Amino acid sequence: MYYSAFTLLRLAVLAVHLIISVAINFLTQLPIYGLLIRLVDPLQLPGGVKINLKAPLQSFPTSIHLILQSQPCSWLSLWRWDGSKPSAKVVDFKYTLTLLLQGQVVYPWSWTSK
């Protein structure tokens, strides 16, 4: 009875630690600044430039008038990973479950396969 209670308590602690680790990794990769800027003023994060040709003025019929417009970036382009951020430690669930089923001690820092 003692061993089963200890094992269940240990699994509960490991599950909570795993959930917190995954949440921290998600928040680390979340572009909070970009999302807030995109929400407040979409034109502050340009996704491209659009050039339109305007009809020539009557006073200058031979001149060319161009209109330059900033296109806002899309919501999905904020999550593009360019490799400059440090990669988060990915938890290998299969490896962790294998260790648990084999009866080995599972440490929180050994969740990634070797």
Side-chain angles (χ1 to χ4, degrees):
M1 181 68 179
Y2 171 76
Y3 294 114
S4 61
F6 179 76
T7 302
L8 289 176
L9 185 62
R10 174 76 175 148
L11 286 176
V13 168
L14 285 175
V16 169
H17 191 274
L18 177 68
I19 290 170
I20 291 172
S21 296
V22 169
I24 288 173
N25 286 340
F26 175 73
L27 289 175
T28 301
Q29 299 298 324
L30 186 68
I32 295 173
Y33 179 75
L35 288 173
L36 289 176
I37 293 294
R38 175 72 167 94
L39 186 66
V40 173
D41 188 11
L43 294 178
Q44 290 294 326
L45 290 174
V49 176
K50 182 178 179 183
I51 300 174
N52 291 330
L53 181 64
K54 187 177 178 184
L57 298 174
Q58 292 179 356
S59 58
F60 299 104
T62 59
S63 64
I64 297 175
H65 296 282
L66 300 174
I67 298 175
L68 183 68
Q69 294 176 335
S70 174
Q71 298 294 318
C73 68
S74 66
W75 289 98
L76 292 178
S77 67
L78 293 175
W79 271 282
R80 285 190 188 147
W81 185 67
D82 59 352
S84 63
K85 295 180 183 177
S87 61
K89 203 175 189 184
V90 179
V91 176
D92 189 1
F93 294 106
K94 185 178 177 184
Y95 176 71
T96 305
L97 188 61
T98 304
L99 289 178
L100 285 173
L101 291 176
Q102 289 175 354
Q104 297 182 12
V105 179
V106 177
Y107 298 106
W109 52 84
S110 69
W111 282 346
T112 56
S113 59
K114 297 175 181 174

